[in-house]
Amino acid sequence: MVSQPFSRVKRFIFDIKQELFSTSSVLSTDKDKSAASKESTTEGASKRQEGRAETPKQHLLDIIGNMKVELSYRKKLQQLKANENTKQAMNELEGKPLNPELVKAASAVASSLPRNKKQTESELLAQLRRHEETTDKQKKGGAINIRSVNVILEMTVKRQSPAQRGARISSGISLQLDEDGRRIRPERSSAQSIDSRRYFLRSLWMLTDCYKISFSVSPPTIWDLEFAKEVAAVTAQPPRNGFEEMIQWTKEGILWEFPVDNEVGMEDDAEFHEHIFLEKHLEAFPKEGPIRHFMELVICGLSKNPYLSVKQKVEHIEWFQKYFEEKKELLQEI
Amino acid sequence: MAAAVLWWTLRAARQVLPSPCPRQVRSYYVDWRMLRDVKRRKMAYEHADERLRINAIRKNSILPKELQEVADKEIAALPRDSCPVRIRNRCVLTSRPRGVKRRWRLSRIVFRHFADHAQMSGVQRAMW
């Protein structure tokens, strides 16, 4: 659509303005996690203190209530600990390859933080694992859905048997009077409706058999694909109802596939660290001075931008590199 | 032999029934102003990245001012139709420049026409 680029431009402008006029804090999330476990215990303590301040009856009731709360908290804590132990055991035993670089980075971060190194490290590893699982699920799930839909769309052979097709074509070629045409058409339509169901399944199975044979021998050649396209083009009848019209539009690309897949055009296989840690692209720039400062801000903004692919971000940085190299003489005068 | 016959029938069929599905194909824009707007949008899309980067250099308090002046001249040298400010959100069907609702890209008159004929999904006459 024509107006899509305009909104994209606006988003660019917004993002680059943000990058120029804001700062970021990276490590706050890790500290929050380790603090969360301590907060739950303090909440339990405060509840106990409130119960003692009221009248004896309510006091008793509160104590009973708090005991229940305490028990449930204890059970939860025990369960959490048990889960953590099992998770740690699982982490060690599971052969699923977490990127060794990521593991090293996680351990380095954990060791750099002041509190409870083992706990933070295990939590970071669990986060990484969950992240990888979700990305894998999305990739597999999305791929399977699209593949299955495409298979179904391609394999539905629309209606005609070869014999009927031949008859129709011959009638179309030979010049006929209107009366003949009018007579023949309603006949054929009724014949179609009766016999087409029989022939539909038969033609479908015939085609699937043909293609199974051809695929088993070798990867589909160009001639096979051409043949498939020709068959589809000839057997394609005008859509009988709105559903078939929508199917045709989806095949052509006019209509989206539902449920809407937000990531249709984008196939970004890059890991999150390639998006965020862009400093390695800054090696060609001078290490001090206003240009370095400017480029660091650019990188900060790009790392926060979820709408660009890694390639586009790298292109931005390379453009700046070229620009500043061209202006080197001007800069040295200053 | 049968395969050859099949091929021939397919070829013949394709000539006689080129596109069996009738489709409304819009081959003209409504008027010349709409065409010019389309051209401006295409140019703005092409130059969007460049403009963004040059503006990032210009709207800056860190880089030296001489560099920013050079960037000013560069952005002025870009074609005039490449700036997004020149795009006008016209009605898609009538090319009306005013009274266009952004969500539907239609002018108020066309919108009303379709809504009254129940051709706008989920749009109802207001009554409260």
Side-chain angles (χ1 to χ4, degrees):
Chain A
M1 286 300 292
V2 179
S3 64
Q4 241 185 24
F6 182 51
S7 54
R8 180 187 162 209
V9 165
K10 265 201 168 176
R11 233 186 272 143
F12 267 147
I13 294 168
F14 179 64
D15 286 323
I16 204 92
K17 275 190 181 167
Q18 272 196 332
E19 93 195 18
L20 285 176
F21 301 117
S22 67
T23 54
S24 71
S25 58
V26 181
L27 289 171
S28 59
T29 50
D30 294 331
K31 287 187 182 168
D32 286 341
K33 258 186 267 165
S34 51
S37 55
K38 288 195 176 178
E39 279 169 19
S40 57
T41 51
T42 53
E43 273 173 25
S46 63
K47 276 192 179 172
R48 274 176 244 150
Q49 284 171 9
E50 280 177 16
R52 280 167 211 159
E54 297 174 27
T55 57
K57 242 194 191 176
Q58 284 181 344
H59 179 56
L60 274 172
L61 287 169
D62 285 331
I63 286 176
I64 295 163
N66 285 337
M67 276 168 64
K68 282 190 188 168
V69 167
E70 278 179 34
L71 279 172
S72 63
Y73 261 120
R74 265 189 212 163
K75 276 191 184 172
K76 273 186 192 172
L77 281 171
Q78 279 173 4
Q79 276 175 7
L80 272 174
K81 280 184 190 170
N83 285 342
E84 275 181 18
N85 289 334
T86 51
K87 265 188 193 172
Q88 276 180 5
M90 290 282 283
N91 286 342
E92 287 160 34
L93 290 172
E94 259 186 42
K96 205 212 154 170
L98 256 189
N99 210 347
E101 294 173 1
L102 290 176
V103 172
K104 276 186 205 169
S107 57
V109 165
S111 57
S112 65
L113 288 176
R115 323 176 193 176
N116 216 350
K117 291 172 190 178
K118 273 193 180 176
Q119 202 187 18
T120 47
E121 193 183 329
S122 58
E123 279 170 3
L124 281 172
L125 285 173
Q127 271 274 357
L128 278 171
R129 212 169 273 287
R130 261 177 268 152
H131 175 76
E132 286 221 23
E133 277 175 22
T134 48
T135 46
D136 284 340
K137 265 187 216 168
Q138 277 177 6
K139 278 182 198 170
K140 278 184 206 165
I144 288 168
N145 286 337
I146 290 165
R147 254 182 264 146
S148 60
V149 165
N150 283 337
V151 160
I152 291 165
L153 286 174
E154 281 163 24
M155 294 308 259
T156 48
V157 176
K158 287 182 195 167
R159 291 206 143 197
Q160 272 176 327
S161 75
Q164 284 183 347
R165 209 195 309 150
R168 196 181 168 195
I169 287 158
S170 59
S171 71
I173 292 165
S174 60
L175 294 168
Q176 281 185 351
L177 300 169
D178 277 348
E179 293 171 5
D180 285 342
R182 273 181 216 161
R183 251 192 287 149
I184 287 171
R185 263 177 235 154
E187 278 180 343
R188 195 169 302 114
S189 63
S190 60
Q192 274 181 12
S193 56
I194 292 164
D195 296 332
S196 54
R197 264 162 225 171
R198 258 189 280 153
Y199 287 117
F200 170 59
L201 279 173
R202 200 210 259 178
S203 50
L204 178 65
W205 283 116
M206 274 162 55
L207 256 187
T208 51
D209 287 337
C210 293
Y211 286 113
K212 272 180 196 168
I213 291 163
S214 67
F215 287 157
S216 62
V217 171
S218 63
T221 62
I222 301 171
W223 305 114
D224 290 334
L225 294 170
E226 271 299 313
F227 180 57
K229 280 183 204 169
E230 286 206 44
V231 165
V234 171
T235 56
Q237 278 205 324
R240 289 173 296 154
N241 52 33
F243 289 116
E244 290 194 1
E245 200 183 29
M246 284 203 279
I247 291 169
Q248 207 165 31
W249 285 345
T250 312
K251 272 192 230 173
E252 288 175 26
I254 298 171
L255 205 59
W256 285 347
E257 288 175 359
F258 295 99
V260 173
D261 181 17
N262 277 322
E263 297 171 359
V264 168
M266 305 163 38
E267 281 177 16
D268 210 12
D269 297 326
E271 293 282 314
F272 69 95
H273 54 88
E274 286 173 42
H275 277 272
I276 295 174
F277 302 113
L278 296 163
E279 279 151 13
K280 55 185 173 180
H281 302 287
L282 272 197
E283 282 162 14
F285 288 93
K287 294 204 177 179
E288 285 179 349
I291 295 181
R292 180 82 185 189
H293 189 22
F294 174 73
M295 286 313 295
E296 278 176 5
L297 283 176
V298 166
I299 272 171
C300 173
L302 284 176
S303 69
K304 289 195 208 173
N305 191 337
Y307 302 110
L308 295 180
S309 65
V310 177
K311 206 181 166 191
Q312 286 167 322
K313 292 183 188 179
V314 169
E315 274 173 17
H316 274 289
I317 296 173
E318 280 172 5
W319 184 92
F320 275 117
Q321 201 181 331
K322 261 192 251 169
Y323 185 81
F324 287 125
E325 271 177 26
E326 282 169 22
K327 310 290 167 183
K328 249 189 183 176
E329 300 154 0
L330 187 76
L331 292 170
Q332 275 158 7
E333 282 171 34
I334 303 166
Chain B
M1 179 59 197
V5 169
L6 192 64
W7 276 106
W8 181 82
T9 49
L10 284 173
R11 287 279 153 81
R14 252 207 299 184
Q15 285 163 18
V16 173
L17 310 163
S19 55
C21 314
R23 171 79 39 76
Q24 193 181 41
V25 176
R26 188 176 295 281
S27 44
Y28 299 101
Y29 287 110
V30 175
D31 57 6
W32 289 93
R33 282 169 288 177
M34 194 191 239
L35 212 176
R36 276 184 268 145
D37 195 55
V38 167
K39 282 188 207 168
R40 281 185 202 122
R41 281 168 194 265
K42 281 184 195 164
M43 284 219 81
Y45 182 78
E46 285 162 30
H47 294 272
D49 287 338
E50 268 181 55
R51 287 193 94 94
L52 176 74
R53 290 158 189 163
I54 297 177
N55 267 327
I57 293 175
R58 283 171 68 217
K59 309 286 179 177
N60 220 335
S61 49
I62 306 164
L63 294 175
K65 283 187 187 174
E66 290 84 358
L67 195 62
Q68 287 175 0
E69 283 165 25
V70 169
D72 279 338
K73 286 175 201 167
E74 275 193 20
I75 204 170
L78 285 176
R80 201 168 268 197
D81 271 353
S82 67
C83 62
V85 188
R86 288 188 127 222
I87 295 172
R88 182 84 197 182
N89 291 326
R90 291 180 160 267
C91 169
V92 162
L93 293 180
T94 54
S95 178
R96 194 163 196 271
R98 294 167 209 219
V100 181
K101 272 315 220 178
R102 204 173 197 160
R103 183 176 170 183
W104 296 277
R105 303 176 187 175
L106 291 177
S107 88
R108 55 179 178 83
I109 305 162
V110 179
F111 176 81
R112 228 175 84 97
H113 177 267
F114 283 138
D116 286 342
H117 287 72
Q119 285 164 4
M120 299 290 276
S121 172
V123 173
Q124 198 187 11
R125 276 188 158 260
M127 181 165 37
W128 74 97

